[in-house]
Each structure stands twice: as C-alpha cells, then as structure tokens.
Amino acid sequence: MPPADTAAMSGLEFLCWAQKKQQEQPDIPSIGRLLGMEIDEVEEGRVVMSLNTRPDYANPLGTVHGGIAATLLDSVMGCAVHTTLPPRVGYTTLELKVNYIRAVPLDAGKLTARGTVIHTGRRTATAEGKVLDAQRKLIAHATTTCMIFHP
C-alpha cells in the first residue's frame, strides 16, 4: 500500500519507492502488475522497465501485439518525466508517437524499455524512449509530450 501521502513525494522519490515496493508487495494493482512489468532503474530524467513476453500478448498474426511496446514506451517516458517533477505536481500523456521497427515473437523473452527526458518546462515536458529485445535489437522507439499539472 502507498504511504499516507505520496503527493508529498517528488516524482523521483515516488518512483524509487515504487521500485522497492514492487519486490515487497508484487500484488499491488497496476498496469505493471497486469503486464508483468518491472522497474529496473530510476534516476532523475531516466527510467528503465522490462517485461518477459508471453502468449497472452499475442495479436492475430501470432506475434507480440504492438500495444505492449507502446505501453512500455508510454510508461518509461512518462515516468522519466515524473522523476523531474516536485511534490504535488502531476502529469499525463498529451501525445505519443511510436515507430515500430520489427515484429516480436511470443517467445522473444525479455523486452527492455528506456525512457529519457528531453525537456521539462512549466506546462509541458518531452521525452524519448526505445524498446530493445533480449539480443539488444531495436523493437520500437517513440517520443512523447506530457502535460504538467500544478496545484
């Protein structure tokens, strides 16, 4: 369960807390739990997450659905932006542009996504991200614009 006031945490503090909690309490409901995503690295302006492919991710062609890569990218880029925000400041994805490079077989194993902030302003932030397969081949890359909400 979250501490009494997660809003009092900076984005970086919150994501470091979430990274620790995923190991202590893996049953906390979230998109990460649903897809089996793990927070691997967190630092200011940069987040790395990963997941292992599985048959549940199949599209009608029998490969990993593109929404899995898009969700990984949206997550790492948004969370990278979050690491730059002070307490009580929120954000949401305003725009997401994904470029798919190759299909992913269902038995591909671990996919790793890295998100990096390009710019954080008062009202918007931009970030970029990449998804790599277990052989470090590029699967997809993306950019995002996030809207920032001040109290």
Side-chain angles (χ1 to χ4, degrees):
M1 297 301 294
D5 191 8
T6 55
M9 296 179 173
S10 70
L12 181 59
E13 291 168 335
F14 177 79
L15 283 162
C16 287
W17 172 84
Q19 181 183 27
K20 182 179 175 188
K21 275 298 181 199
Q22 78 182 359
Q23 293 151 357
E24 295 172 1
Q25 288 183 293
D27 59 339
I28 296 173
S30 67
I31 189 69
R33 182 187 75 169
L34 180 66
L35 296 180
M37 291 171 29
E38 294 186 13
I39 303 170
D40 300 322
E41 299 175 31
V42 176
E43 61 185 67
E44 186 169 352
R46 185 175 168 275
V47 171
V48 178
M49 294 181 185
S50 62
L51 58 74
N52 287 302
T53 59
R54 60 187 193 216
D56 290 335
Y57 300 160
N59 64 23
L61 298 174
T63 59
V64 173
H65 190 282
I68 299 298
T71 300
L72 268 170
L73 288 162
D74 188 39
S75 297
V76 295
M77 293 185 299
C79 287
V81 166
H82 195 182
T83 66
T84 67
L85 300 179
R88 304 193 194 308
V89 174
Y91 72 97
T92 192
T93 301
L94 187 62
E95 179 267 340
L96 176 66
K97 167 67 170 98
V98 180
N99 293 283
Y100 296 97
I101 305 303
R102 63 178 36 89
V104 180
L106 293 174
D107 63 354
K110 190 174 196 175
L111 300 182
T112 302
R114 292 172 170 77
T116 307
V117 170
I118 297 169
H119 171 77
T120 302
R122 177 155 172 76
R123 295 184 183 176
T124 61
T126 56
E128 60 189 359
K130 294 180 180 181
V131 177
L132 305 175
D133 68 11
Q135 288 72 47
R136 303 190 53 77
K137 288 184 180 177
L138 184 64
I139 299 301
H141 60 95
T143 56
T144 191
T145 303
C146 294
M147 185 183 316
I148 298 173
F149 302 107
H150 296 272

